[in-house]
């Protein structure tokens, strides 16, 4: 702080999704600090791997501070898991839990602005996430910095590969792992069917 830039707490879901928001928010005149609060990531080994990936990149490449906030996994089970495969309801509850903790942390640390990397991935529910942050931030006396980063997702994919970062193939919870596996199987079956019909 004291750089003439506007301090901002940037909730980060993982390292690869942080690359472009950090760069773009800095270009806009913000000075982001990253906040980790992702009790949705299962199993715990996967959670720890994503956190480590983020911290290594933040320290060695991006030179940005990472605050590790609360990771209440029991609260996630109570709030999000009961929605099961009702994806919209489950993700809404999941966003709300994580973004509320990020907002609480922002207030505690004296930030006025908050943003999230959740909206980089086109696989996230953009409008649902927007509604959640737009409702939560003012309740904590914060200004939400909402940007559509989705156009930068391909660049984030390329850059994270170049940096050798660990890249997960599901969002985080056990339901998303099952949903992603089903989608991969369906895509594989469709490829096989096209090949068999001579349209490969
Ligand atoms: S799919 Fe992702 S955002 Fe939705 S509940 Fe699971 S971990 Fe949370």
């Amino acid at each position: 702080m004291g750089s003439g830039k506007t301090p901002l707490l940037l909730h980060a879901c993982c390292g690869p999704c942080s690359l472009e928001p950090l760069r773009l928010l800095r270009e806009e005149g913000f000075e982001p600090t990253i906040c980790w609060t992702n009790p949705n990531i299962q199993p715990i080994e996967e959670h720890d791997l994503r956190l480590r990936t983020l911290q290594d990149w933040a320290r060695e490449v991006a030179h940005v501070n990472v605050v590790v906030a609360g990771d209440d996994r029991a609260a996630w089970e109570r709030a999000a898991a009961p929605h099961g495969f009702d994806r919209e309801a489950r993700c809404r509850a999941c966003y709300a839990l994580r973004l509320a903790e990020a907002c609480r942390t922002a207030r505690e640390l004296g930030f006025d602005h908050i943003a999230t990397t959740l909206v980089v991935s086109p696989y996230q529910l953009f409008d649902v996430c927007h509604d959640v942050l737009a409702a939560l931030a003012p309740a904590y006396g914060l200004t939400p910095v909402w940007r559509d980063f989705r156009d930068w997702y391909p660049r984030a994919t390329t850059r994270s590969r170049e940096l050798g970062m660990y890249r997960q193939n599901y969002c985080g919870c056990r339901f998303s792992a099952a949903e992603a596996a089903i989608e991969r199987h369906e895509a594989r079956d469709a490829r096989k069917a096209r090949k068999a019909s001579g349209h490969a």
Side-chain angles (χ1 to χ4, degrees), residues 20 24 119-122 126 148-156:
E20 295 305 299
L24 293 161
V119 287
V120 176
S121 168
F126 188 83
D148 187 349
F149 295 123
R150 290 174 294 181
D151 283 350
W152 299 97
Y153 185 72
R155 182 181 155 117

Side-chain angles (χ1 to χ4, degrees), residues 140-195:
Y140 284 84
L142 299 167
T143 301
V145 176
W146 184 258
R147 303 287 182 265
D148 187 349
F149 295 123
R150 290 174 294 181
D151 283 350
W152 299 97
Y153 185 72
R155 182 181 155 117
T157 303
T158 306
R159 282 189 67 211
S160 55
R161 282 204 182 109
E162 285 168 359
L163 289 166
M165 293 172 97
Y166 167 68
R167 296 180 49 79
Q168 62 273 6
N169 63 3
Y170 66 101
C171 181
C173 65
R174 57 188 178 277
F175 302 101
S176 66
E179 288 160 351
I182 291 166
E183 278 173 25
R184 283 193 297 273
H185 281 290
E186 285 175 349
R188 190 198 57 195
D189 288 349
R191 278 196 305 275
K192 273 190 192 166
R194 277 199 304 277
K195 206 171 172 185

Side-chain angles (χ1 to χ4, degrees), residues 40 76 80 87 90-91 94-95 98 124 171-173 176 179:
N40 54 310
W76 189 91
R87 188 172 169 214
R90 186 186 78 225
C91 294
C94 181
Y95 296 151
R98 292 189 277 166
Q124 296 295 331
C171 181
C173 65
S176 66
E179 288 160 351

